Amino acid sequence: MTSKINTYRRNTPVFIRLFTLILLFGFGSLKAQHENRDTVLAGGPVHAAKEKEIDIAQIAFEHILDTHSWHFWGEGHEAVAIPLPVILKTDNGLVFFMSSEFHHDIHGTVVVEKNGRKFVNYEDIIYYASESPNEEGHYINSEKNEKGEVTVLNPAPLDFSITKNVAQLMLSSIALFLIFTSMARAYKKNGITTPPKGTQAFLEPLVVFVRDDLAKENIGPNGYKFVPYLLTVFFLILINNVFGLVPISANLTGNIGFTLVLAVFTFVLTTINGKKTYWSHIFTPHAPKAIWPILIPLEIIGTITKPFALMIRLFANMTAGHLIVISLIGLIFIFKSVYIAPVSIAFALFIDILEVLVAFLQAYIFVMLTSIFIGSAMEEPHEEDAHHHEGEKVAEAH
Amino acid sequence: MQHLFILASLIEPGIGLIFWTTLVFLLLLFLLGKYAWKPILEAIKTREESIQNALSTADKALKDMRELKSNNEKILIEARAERDNLLKDARETKDSIVAEAKHKAQAEADRIMATAREQIANEKNAAIGELKKQVAVLSIEIAEKILKAELSSDEKQKALVSNLMKDVNLN
């Protein structure tokens, strides 16, 4: 069921809709719009029906989701894209092939046969192909429930492909490695007495900032051993936030899988570094014993919600920013008017500049909260108001 | 519906990306930690320490200089006090010498005066004695001359005897 619906044209502020949608994960609003699929704006003469409808929502999501090839421009067979390796863990073992074998198809029409198994790409998820195509020519077996929600029934292999996000992760990691080893070489070459120059001069304050104002400030004198971790997280998020602003790039930091891994690392570090005070706060709270059965599970959930919030914050901030920009550009196509372009571009430019700020801010917030969580876990038993203090810091960060 | 499908995959973390992120991140953490953060942080720390050292050395030099300056001032003050003392001592010595000299001179003068007085007294006494002797001699000469004149004739001698006889009252 891939009808090109211009679901959003009915209601005006598209980006507000998308924004709310992402932040609240409100699936319901989409369904309501689906009912009204009249081509309102294309309500001209007969040829309007022949015009290829552009589904902005589809394009927007394609831009923020992970894909199996690095797409630059063009549609269908004219698309210009870099094929990326597909790695699948199937019941017949690992399967490798290039994403170009799908010929840019994401509707499950092109079947690739490897190791005796057949695969199709449906919405950039790789499934085992059905034996025969359905009525729309897709080798996908899907089922629609009474609400109109589609569930793909085909089994899927475990997908370890080098997707666009993974490719960008690797490229950005290589870039980080080259940048910082060259910075390290600069110290060796110029010695410590010459003031830093160029990249070194730009990055050194950031490194010192992470070391002093995040690690030392929030974790204390023991924080130095976390500095390499915090620096790696900070610069990995920062570089991918900035890369993500480039139109053809991947939305890695706006992918929940990426933020999940970083949040899990924070959780693991917090847990293994938890000192007596931290655990006593959880298992012997300062409260009457009668309410311990309620409080202790809450405290345990609290240890998980902190990194969970980290995961959602970075993901939602980056994704929302990208959606706003693409939606503003999409307005031109929704209204089918070139006169919208200046407005769209002006707003998109504004949001893009804001996104540069957000790129730095989110990297900073992620690392700052990570250091606060580690710091609060490593806290030595002293003043009673330390807990409140930590709470305030967290509140400020939001 | 299709959008719903996409939305679901938006908040559904993919196993592939989780795997690769974990792998790449740990690798990056290790490589950066070893080849970038360690030398960079060490260099920054060394530089901060050297700056700190330079600053504290400069501070110390300044303090030393100040101390030296204050020492110099102290020495100057001491020297001044010493000079004053010396001058005072000299003045005192001079005064005492002058006073002593005066005293000695006075004593000498007194002695000389006393001697002179004594000598004068002696001379005077001698002069008086001589005078007395001269007077006696003169008296005797006068008496002799008078006697000679008185006893130059018999009448006169008789007159005298009579006179004397007159005076001698024989009772």
Side-chain angles (χ1 to χ4, degrees):
Chain A
M1 181 74 215
T2 54
S3 55
K4 298 288 177 190
I5 330 140
N6 229 328
T7 40
Y8 298 104
R9 67 165 55 136
R10 186 170 56 98
N11 296 316
T12 28
V14 174
F15 66 91
I16 289 176
R17 226 158 230 294
L18 285 169
F19 191 58
T20 325
L21 191 79
I22 289 309
L23 289 184
L24 303 176
F25 302 111
F27 298 164
S29 59
L30 262 177
K31 274 171 260 155
Q33 288 155 11
H34 181 59
E35 253 84 71
N36 189 336
R37 61 165 81 168
D38 314 1
T39 45
V40 177
L41 283 178
V46 199
H47 74 269
K50 281 186 259 169
E51 229 172 84
K52 199 188 167 197
E53 296 284 351
I54 297 166
D55 187 349
I56 297 300
Q58 174 84 22
I59 290 169
F61 284 122
E62 270 168 17
H63 272 83
I64 57 167
L65 284 173
D66 209 357
T67 56
H68 282 85
S69 62
W70 200 312
H71 180 253
F72 290 111
W73 59 79
E75 292 295 327
H77 291 287
E78 290 154 25
V80 178
I82 299 174
L84 295 168
V86 175
I87 304 163
L88 301 171
K89 169 86 175 65
T90 67
D91 16 355
N92 277 4
L94 286 174
V95 173
F96 301 90
F97 58 93
M98 294 306 280
S99 65
S100 52
E101 297 200 24
F102 284 121
H103 301 290
H104 309 295
D105 167 60
I106 56 159
H107 303 304
T109 44
V110 179
V111 177
V112 175
E113 195 174 342
K114 294 275 161 182
N115 281 26
R117 298 305 306 255
K118 289 172 176 172
F119 305 101
V120 284
N121 184 342
Y122 185 70
E123 302 297 344
D124 257 309
I125 297 173
I126 293 172
Y127 295 97
Y128 292 117
S130 309
E131 286 305 312
S132 53
N134 60 11
E135 67 271 18
E136 283 161 327
H138 305 155
Y139 288 82
I140 278 291
N141 220 341
S142 58
E143 168 181 272
K144 209 196 293 181
N145 66 7
E146 69 280 2
K147 286 184 194 163
E149 288 168 353
V150 175
T151 322
V152 177
L153 299 172
N154 296 41
L158 284 180
D159 191 351
F160 290 101
S161 305
I162 308 295
T163 58
K164 191 178 173 186
N165 275 339
V166 176
Q168 182 171 305
L169 173 69
M170 288 171 170
L171 287 176
S172 61
S173 298
I174 291 166
L176 280 182
F177 184 74
L178 293 177
I179 290 168
F180 285 103
T181 47
S182 92
M183 186 181 168
R185 269 200 308 278
Y187 285 106
K188 207 167 277 178
K189 200 182 102 199
N190 301 337
I192 52 154
T193 44
T194 32
K197 282 181 294 200
T199 336
Q200 197 189 357
F202 173 70
L203 293 171
E204 195 191 293
L206 290 175
V207 172
V208 173
F209 175 76
V210 171
R211 188 195 65 177
D212 290 345
D213 293 310
L214 297 179
K216 201 178 162 193
E217 176 78 18
N218 296 325
I219 308 178
N222 293 334
Y224 278 118
K225 65 177 172 183
F226 297 105
V227 174
Y229 170 75
L230 296 176
L231 282 171
T232 310
V233 173
F234 179 77
F235 285 107
L236 185 64
I237 293 177
L238 180 61
I239 197 171
N240 280 299
N241 280 354
V242 174
F243 275 6
L245 295 176
V246 181
I248 52 159
S249 67
N251 177 29
L252 178 61
T253 47
N255 188 297
I256 202 154
F258 175 79
T259 61
L260 171 82
V261 172
L262 293 184
V264 165
F265 275 118
T266 296
F267 176 72
V268 169
L269 276 179
T270 313
T271 309
I272 62 173
N273 285 298
K275 294 273 183 302
K276 207 181 147 210
T277 329
Y278 176 69
W279 295 116
S280 72
H281 260 300
I282 295 171
F283 293 109
T284 54
H286 293 290
K289 286 207 170 151
I291 57 167
W292 279 18
I294 308 165
L295 224 49
I296 291 172
L298 275 180
E299 289 281 358
I300 293 169
I301 293 167
T303 62
I304 298 160
T305 50
K306 283 180 195 171
F308 186 80
L310 274 187
M311 169 181 87
I312 297 294
R313 184 181 297 109
L314 181 57
F315 151 73
N317 268 290
M318 298 324 291
T319 301
H322 292 223
L323 272 183
I324 292 171
V325 172
I326 197 107
S327 306
L328 285 168
I329 300 297
L331 282 178
I332 304 169
F333 301 96
I334 289 170
F335 289 114
K336 294 197 164 95
S337 161
V338 77
Y339 300 109
I340 298 294
V343 181
S344 283
I345 288 166
F347 275 98
L349 181 65
F350 169 72
I351 296 294
D352 256 333
I353 291 165
L354 200 67
E355 281 298 293
V356 176
L357 172 73
V358 171
F360 279 84
L361 198 68
Q362 287 305 321
Y364 162 66
I365 288 176
F366 195 99
V367 175
M368 188 194 68
L369 289 177
T370 296
S371 62
I372 287 176
F373 295 159
I374 296 172
S376 71
M378 290 179 72
E379 204 174 29
E380 296 298 332
H382 51 100
E383 74 262 79
E384 198 57 17
D385 61 350
H387 201 70
H388 293 284
H389 194 61
E390 174 221 320
E392 277 163 26
K393 269 187 184 169
V394 175
E396 277 167 27
H398 295 264
Chain B
M1 283 150 9
Q2 200 177 357
H3 302 125
L4 275 175
F5 188 72
I6 295 166
L7 262 180
S9 57
L10 185 65
I11 54 163
E12 223 169 70
I15 179 82
L17 188 62
I18 290 176
F19 168 76
W20 286 111
T21 306
T22 311
L23 187 75
V24 172
F25 180 77
L26 287 177
L27 204 65
L28 186 70
L29 184 63
F30 171 75
L31 287 175
L32 280 184
K34 191 169 177 193
Y35 297 109
W37 304 136
K38 197 163 169 258
I40 289 172
L41 289 171
E42 266 171 15
I44 292 175
K45 202 172 173 197
T46 319
R47 186 169 60 203
E48 278 171 354
E49 273 165 8
S50 83
I51 289 172
Q52 197 56 50
N53 277 349
L55 282 178
S56 58
T57 311
D59 228 31
K60 198 169 162 282
L62 197 71
K63 223 165 102 189
D64 282 357
M65 221 174 72
R66 273 207 198 110
E67 214 166 273
L68 207 69
K69 214 174 151 192
S70 76
N71 263 356
N72 281 349
E73 257 161 32
K74 220 164 88 189
I75 287 169
L76 207 67
I77 288 167
E78 270 172 13
R80 233 174 246 146
E82 185 70 23
R83 188 197 63 183
D84 287 353
N85 266 350
L86 281 176
L87 280 176
K88 204 174 128 207
D89 279 1
R91 209 172 285 131
E92 271 168 12
T93 316
K94 180 199 80 179
D95 285 353
S96 77
I97 287 170
V98 167
E100 206 182 331
K102 252 185 200 164
H103 187 72
K104 269 188 185 160
Q106 189 67 44
E108 188 65 18
D110 286 354
R111 199 181 56 82
I112 289 168
M113 287 287 276
T115 319
R117 251 184 229 120
E118 202 181 327
Q119 219 161 355
I120 288 166
N122 285 348
E123 292 290 320
K124 198 172 91 182
N125 287 348
I128 288 170
E130 188 75 9
L131 200 61
K132 273 181 182 164
K133 224 155 98 188
Q134 288 289 326
V135 168
V137 171
L138 277 176
S139 307
I140 291 165
E141 275 177 8
I142 291 166
E144 202 187 273
K145 277 175 183 167
I146 292 168
L147 274 174
K148 271 176 185 170
E150 280 300 310
L151 298 169
S152 52
S153 59
D154 288 341
E155 293 96 57
K156 275 185 187 174
Q157 280 174 7
K158 278 171 190 167
L160 185 63
V161 169
S162 58
N163 241 0
L164 283 169
M165 286 315 279
K166 245 191 285 174
D167 286 344
V168 177
N169 203 354
L170 291 170
N171 315 36

